[in-house]
Amino acid sequence: MTSATVPHHLQRYRKALFFLALLLPLALLLGLALGAYPLPPLAIPQILLRGEGVEYQVLTVLRLPRVLGAALVGGLLALAGAVLQGLFRNPLVDPGLIGVTSGAALGAAIFIVLLPGAGPLEVYALPLFAFLGGLLATQVLWRIARTPLGTQVLVLLLSGIALNALVGAAIGLLTFLATEEQLRSLTFWTLGGFSAVTWAVLLSGLPLAFLALGLLLPLARSLNALALGEREAFHLGTELETFKRRAVAGAALGVGVAVALAGGVGFIGLVAPHLFRLLAGPDHRYLLPGAALLGATLAVLADLLARTVAAPAEVPVGVVTALLGGPFFLYLVLRYKREVYRA
């Protein structure tokens, strides 16, 4: 099929994906090169091939796991956000807004404070506890918002706000009980950051991350069918309950891994899917991979900003994403308000 015969909207999707596929490697290269110890971007392949020296150690021990971890976390959060927005058919849904991120953070906090002494198993158990916390929070919200007429989005959002408050109180209690060392770890989970991402931490989260990607990425056609309504999706062959359980489990798993690696990094799950919709359109076949690519790029750039804007000190990444994502969320709310009045 030539470009002249490809529909215009498909060309737009393909161009957006191609642009993002080029943008992510560029962001990764900047993330590897810039920092307290700057490296020439074009010399990075030569440094890796050399295999020795201070620059090689900085690159392989510090920068590579951190930058790759940021890309993985951003991609998972954006993908989970896109799927949850499609599942609840509401563009304002975000893993942090409805309490999934808080639940995952509470799972990690419980493990840190109440179950210390896991030794070498800690890097594997921590993502698992974060996943279980996110999954439990999602299930609670799902059951509260579920009615015979379908999921009530307003109830879901209000429940998410209440759950965030409860989880905040529980984490506050754990902070009161924590030792000084545990308190430092809890502060990391609260503010978010990639400074603690090492090869061991990154590799421990990869199996669960790939499982989340395997659960979420094939849901595009079902999400497109659900956009027409549950009855229409059923008649188009979607097994609704299986699809919903898979979407919820995959989103909780992805968010759990992201929280275990980087703590509470907010707004990427909300912002990235919306930016891709503005860039190309709402078709989930392109939205899911596009949001993942865009989320990975945004997380790498946010981490780069966090560790360079006040160098040699580091600003928590969660603060950077909140400062940038908060105004964007307000813009979405105002835009949603205008659309409601027009309807």
Side-chain angles (χ1 to χ4, degrees):
M1 185 180 289
T2 64
S3 59
T5 60
V6 176
H8 178 67
H9 70 283
L10 287 182
Q11 290 185 35
R12 192 171 64 244
Y13 281 119
R14 291 176 181 178
K15 286 179 181 176
L17 286 178
F18 180 71
F19 169 71
L20 293 174
L22 292 179
L23 188 62
L24 178 58
L26 181 60
L28 291 172
L29 186 63
L30 289 175
L32 291 174
L34 302 180
Y37 191 98
L39 300 170
L42 298 180
I44 286 177
Q46 187 181 358
I47 294 171
L48 289 174
L49 289 174
R50 192 186 309 152
E52 59 182 6
V54 176
E55 293 177 335
Y56 177 78
Q57 293 297 321
V58 169
L59 194 57
T60 57
V61 177
L62 299 177
R63 298 271 172 84
L64 261 175
R66 178 170 185 153
V67 171
L68 294 178
L72 180 65
V73 167
L76 287 173
L77 289 176
L79 184 58
V83 169
L84 289 175
Q85 287 169 12
L87 179 65
F88 294 116
R89 286 180 283 169
N90 188 300
L92 301 181
V93 171
D94 170 77
L97 191 66
I98 63 171
V100 181
T101 304
S102 298
L106 179 60
I110 289 174
F111 176 79
I112 291 170
V113 178
L114 301 182
L115 300 169
L121 294 178
E122 181 173 338
V123 293
Y124 303 101
L126 196 54
L128 182 60
F129 269 76
F131 159 62
L132 292 175
L135 182 62
L136 182 61
T138 310
Q139 288 293 340
V140 169
L141 291 171
W142 182 269
R143 289 186 180 279
I144 292 175
R146 191 76 179 148
T147 72
L149 299 177
T151 303
Q152 298 298 312
V153 174
L154 181 60
V155 175
L156 176 76
L157 294 177
L158 292 175
S159 304
I161 293 171
L163 185 64
N164 277 328
L166 282 173
V167 168
I171 292 178
L173 181 61
L174 290 171
T175 303
F176 177 73
L177 298 173
T179 64
E180 191 172 336
E181 183 181 350
Q182 292 168 342
L183 195 58
R184 284 197 292 272
S185 296
L186 284 174
T187 304
F188 163 74
W189 296 114
T190 305
L191 298 177
F194 299 103
S195 59
V197 179
T198 61
W199 284 115
V201 172
L202 179 61
L203 293 176
S204 72
L206 276 184
L208 294 179
F210 283 130
L211 180 57
L213 293 174
L215 287 171
L216 295 176
L217 283 175
L219 297 179
R221 292 186 184 278
S222 297
L223 288 168
N224 280 346
L226 187 65
L228 302 173
E230 291 201 4
R231 180 178 297 178
E232 288 77 5
F234 175 77
H235 288 299
L236 287 172
T238 300
E239 292 289 341
L240 286 174
E241 288 307 313
T242 303
F243 154 68
K244 289 176 182 177
R245 288 197 190 99
R246 182 171 176 167
V248 169
L253 188 57
V255 173
V257 173
V259 171
L261 291 179
V265 180
F267 284 107
I268 289 179
L270 174 70
V271 171
H274 274 288
L275 286 178
F276 186 83
R277 286 193 194 95
L278 292 174
L279 197 63
D283 190 333
H284 288 88
R285 292 174 299 170
Y286 304 93
L287 172 62
L288 297 190
L293 286 172
L294 188 53
T297 304
L298 291 176
V300 172
L301 294 179
D303 178 50
L304 178 61
L305 187 62
R307 58 189 164 88
T308 55
V309 71
E314 283 193 22
V315 178
V317 173
V319 174
V320 174
T321 56
L323 284 174
L324 299 177
F328 187 76
F329 182 71
L330 286 176
Y331 159 74
L332 291 176
V333 171
L334 293 174
R335 181 178 171 180
Y336 178 73
K337 174 185 162 187
R338 285 198 298 270
E339 290 177 354
V340 168
Y341 275 112
R342 283 176 189 164

